[in-house]
Amino acid sequence: MNQNINQLNTVLNYVKDTFVGKNDVVDLLGICLLARENAFLYGPPGTAKSAIVRTLAKTVKDGKNFEYLLTRFTEPNEIFGPFDIRKLKEGELLTHTEGMMPEASMVFLDEIFNANSAILNSLLTALNEKIFKRGKETKHLPALMFVGASNVLPEDEALNALFDRFLVRINVDYVNPELLQQVLLAGRKLENDEETEVPEIHADEIRQLQSLCRTIDLKPIYEVYLNTIMSLRNTGIAISDRRAVKLQNLIAASALICGRTEAVLSDLWVLKHIWDTEEQIEILEGIINRTIEKDDHPDSHPQAMHNKTPNPEEVMKDVKILVEKWNEGMLSFEEQNVIKDKLRYLQTRCEWIRNQDQKQYIQQEIESLWQKILQSV
C-alpha cells in the first residue's frame, strides 16, 4: 500500500510543480482518482483546466486517455465510436470502440454542458455506473475517473442530472498575483517542452488503491458526518441519499492518500467541494471549517487546514451585506439559516485577521448582528 500511495503522491507533486498555485485542484483530482468518482472543473478560460487533466493523464502508464471538446452538434459516434459496418451487414448493432471513450482509463470532456440529448442518456449511464449501454450492447468501462469542465454552470434543467453525476466541483480561478512570476516561468518551461523526468504510476496500481479505498474504516467520523449532512440539508444545500453514500468514498480517499487505514475528523474537508451554486461555496467553507478545525491529527491531509489570510475590508463588506439582508426582514426560515451560517463563517475568518484593531472592530459588528438575530427569535 505504502509504495503505491507514495508513487501517487509523487505524481501529484509533479503536477503541482508544473502548475503553480493549483495545489487544491490537483489534490482534489487525486482524491477523485482514488475514490473513482467524477470531478467537475469550473472556471474562466485560460486557467489551465485542460492542461492539468492532460498532464495528470500523461502520468498514468499503460492507460488510454480520451479527451473531447463537446459542442451542441457532437454526435454519439464522436464519443463512443461508430457502428461496426461488418457486423451491421450481419444484422448485429455493435460499436467499434477502439480509441474512443469506452476503452479509456482517463476521460476528459471539455464544455460538458454542450452535451445534447442524442448522447445524454449513454453519458449519464457511463458517468454513474461506469457502464456503456447502446442498444443491446452493455460494456463495463475501465475508466479510472471522468473529468468534466465548463466555464458556465448549467441553466437548463435537463442538464441538472448530468451535473449531479460529478460528485466533486472544483472552482479553478486565476492564480494569486503574488504567484504570477512563478506561473510565467513554469508556463514558459511547459511551452518550450523542456525535458523533465515524468513520474509514472500504472493503471493497475491505481485500481488496487481504489479497491483499498473501500476498506478504510469510517467509524471514527460516522456520527459527525451524519450530523454534517443534516446540517447542510437544513441550510438548503441539497444532498441526496445517493450522494451522501458516495461522499464517503471521498472521505476514505483523503485518509488513504495520507497513508491511514481509518478516517479522522479533518478528512471531512472534501465536503467543501460539493456545492451546486457559487453562493454555496462560502457557506460550505464556513460549516466544514468549523468542524475540521477541532482535529489536530498529525497526518491530516494538507488541504484540510488550508486557510487563506482574509482581507479585513472584504470581511467587513460581507458582514455589512448580511446586516442589510437581515434588516430587510420577511426572511424565510431557510434564508435566515443561510445568513446565520455565513455569519458563523465570517466569525471564523475573523480569527485569522492579523491587525488587532481591525479584528476587534469587525468582531463588534458581528456580535451586534448576532444580538439582533437572537432578539428576533
Side-chain angles (χ1 to χ4, degrees), residues 88-361:
L88 193 60
K89 290 178 180 177
E90 298 170 8
E92 291 187 66
L93 202 60
L94 294 176
T95 306
H96 187 66
T97 58
E98 185 178 353
M100 309 305 285
M101 193 194 81
E103 293 190 4
S105 56
M106 294 284 285
V107 179
F108 177 55
L109 299 174
D110 203 0
E111 297 303 333
I112 184 74
F113 297 126
N114 282 334
N116 55 51
S117 57
I119 63 174
L120 204 52
N121 285 340
S122 295
L123 201 54
L124 288 173
T125 307
L127 289 167
N128 193 44
E129 302 170 36
K130 304 297 187 292
I131 291 175
F132 167 58
K133 285 186 178 180
R134 199 180 191 188
K136 293 182 179 180
E137 280 185 278
T138 300
K139 182 176 183 178
H140 287 275
L141 302 178
L144 300 169
M145 175 175 64
F146 285 86
V147 181
S150 178
N151 52 28
V152 295
L153 293 177
E155 295 180 358
D156 188 346
E157 286 188 9
L159 295 172
N160 285 341
L162 180 60
F163 189 38
D164 188 61
R165 296 301 191 272
F166 293 93
L167 195 60
V168 170
R169 288 81 189 266
I170 308 172
N171 190 23
V172 189
D173 208 344
Y174 298 114
V175 298
N176 190 307
E178 295 175 4
L179 297 174
L180 188 55
Q181 184 176 355
Q182 295 178 53
V183 171
L184 296 176
L185 293 173
R188 185 72 171 169
K189 183 179 178 180
L190 192 64
E191 281 199 345
N192 289 339
D193 201 23
E194 293 182 20
E195 287 189 15
T196 54
E197 188 176 347
V198 179
E200 294 177 330
I201 184 168
H202 288 265
D204 284 341
E205 291 173 334
I206 294 176
R207 290 190 181 96
Q208 289 172 17
L209 289 174
Q210 288 177 340
S211 297
L212 197 59
C213 192
R214 300 303 195 265
T215 69
I216 297 296
D217 185 8
L218 300 181
K219 291 187 186 73
I221 54 91
Y222 249 52
E223 186 177 349
V224 177
Y225 174 65
L226 180 61
N227 291 335
T228 302
I229 293 297
M230 298 301 292
S231 176
L232 293 177
R233 285 177 172 177
N234 290 337
T235 308
I237 297 174
I239 301 175
S240 65
D241 291 347
R242 180 176 63 83
R243 286 178 69 81
V245 170
K246 281 180 165 289
L247 288 171
Q248 296 174 105
N249 296 332
L250 302 179
I251 297 168
S254 175
L256 182 58
I257 209 166
C258 295
R260 289 183 272 107
T261 57
E262 65 175 24
V264 297
L265 202 57
S266 59
D267 289 321
L268 295 176
W269 72 274
V270 294
L271 301 183
K272 291 193 279 188
H273 303 279
I274 60 171
W275 45 268
D276 292 319
T277 65
E278 289 184 86
E279 291 75 23
Q280 292 177 356
I281 295 176
E282 281 192 1
I283 298 172
L284 281 164
E285 282 240 0
I287 294 173
I288 304 305
N289 278 344
R290 284 197 307 277
T291 301
I292 65 177
E293 69 185 2
K294 301 168 188 172
D295 186 26
D296 57 358
H297 197 283
D299 293 325
S300 294
H301 193 285
Q303 287 295 334
M305 301 310 294
H306 178 68
N307 277 288
K308 300 173 184 175
T309 303
N311 183 325
E313 292 181 4
E314 290 181 0
V315 174
M316 190 63 227
K317 180 181 175 183
D318 289 339
V319 171
K320 286 183 176 178
I321 290 172
L322 294 182
V323 171
E324 289 173 3
K325 284 185 177 179
W326 188 267
N327 289 339
E328 287 175 3
M330 302 298 289
L331 297 169
S332 67
F333 178 71
E334 186 178 286
E335 289 170 332
Q336 289 180 10
N337 280 339
V338 169
I339 289 177
K340 290 175 186 176
D341 281 321
K342 283 188 175 181
L343 192 58
R344 291 190 192 99
Y345 169 69
L346 293 174
Q347 203 165 20
T348 303
R349 298 291 285 151
C350 192
E351 293 296 327
W352 294 80
I353 295 174
R354 293 170 183 167
N355 186 300
Q356 289 302 312
D357 291 337
Q358 291 175 322
K359 179 178 177 179
Q360 188 175 3
Y361 178 73

